[in-house]
Amino acid sequence: GENVEQHPSTLSVQEGDSAVIKCTYSDSASNYFPWYKQELGKGPQLIIDIRSNVGEKKDQRIAVTLNKTAKHFSLHITETQPEDSAVYFCASIPPASNYQLIWGAGTKLIIKP
Amino acid sequence: DTEVTQTPKHLVMGMTNKKSLKCEQHMGHRAMYWYKQKAKKPPELMFVYSYEKLSINESVPSRFSPECPNSSLLNLHLHALQPEDSALYLCASSQEKAVEAFFGQGTRLTVV
């Protein structure tokens, strides 16, 4: 079945710098890739997603890129701010199940002031 | 309104208690989900309701019993839980598939 690997597990960046988190998936037929941000004590919040027919999507300071050939997708956060500190999860939906999100292990992003 | 509301936010229960978790959404979503999340781990899918019918049960022990009274509400009935069931329980909803799934803030459950 589908497997999603996420790196790094922890990322510490200086405020104002950029952060990049990478995920790799195994099922080439997967076609939807969301990113969730989870702050301490809260539920996951969908921050951006991308479908397999698109290579890149941007929303203000965040962007997601998808390389279908290599089967990986990345989250890019520019001009990082303290409020970006959180755990970020990538996920995919395998074609065999419309309801099952396959999650990466998560990346704890720390923004240093 | 892109909100999924869960109550209560915190719950402490004994192993012989019966309690219920509640979830509500008013986005017209037809799929609703229960997830369990342990510390430093991604959410684990427990149940999926699609059009008010149980669609997926990920081999969850019978001490967890879901219920979908209508298209906006989802309950999780708890009975005879174990301390290892302590976790953050998350409700989510989506239009149909798990595309653009929105999560609630969760119920922090502690079993003593």
Side-chain angles (χ1 to χ4, degrees), chain A residues 2 11 38 63 66 68 86:
Chain A
E2 171 75 307
L11 179 59
Q38 187 170 24
L66 172 64
K68 288 177 60 179

Side-chain angles (χ1 to χ4, degrees), chain B residues 86-105:
Chain B
S86 298
L88 182 67
Y89 288 83
L90 295 161
C91 174
S93 70
S94 65
Q95 185 58 40
E96 288 187 7
K97 304 176 185 181
V99 173
E100 294 184 359
F102 290 91
F103 284 78
Q105 297 288 49

Side-chain angles (χ1 to χ4, degrees), chain A residues 31-32 34 36 38 41-46 49 51 57 87 89-90 93 97-101 103-106 108, chain B residues 31 33 35 37 40-43 45 48 50 55-56 58 88 90 96-106:
Chain A
N31 55 21
Y32 175 71
Y36 284 87
Q38 187 170 24
K42 297 188 176 182
Q45 175 194 2
L46 179 65
D49 57 12
R51 286 163 171 77
K57 184 176 178 181
V87 177
F89 292 100
C90 64
I93 296 182
S97 171
N98 290 326
Y99 298 106
Q100 176 73 281
L101 280 169
W103 298 80
K108 182 176 182 179
Chain B
Y33 311 74
Y35 284 85
Q37 187 178 27
K40 300 184 180 180
K41 297 288 187 183
L45 184 64
V48 180
S50 175
S55 177
I56 295 176
E58 290 287 337
L88 182 67
L90 295 161
E96 288 187 7
K97 304 176 185 181
V99 173
E100 294 184 359
F102 290 91
F103 284 78
Q105 297 288 49

Side-chain angles (χ1 to χ4, degrees), chain B residues 13 15-19 62-64 77-81:
Chain B
M13 60 184 290
M15 289 188 283
T16 58
N17 290 160
K18 287 184 180 182
K19 296 287 185 184
S62 60
R63 57 186 184 270
F64 295 92
H77 303 296
L78 314 172
H79 173 55
L81 295 192

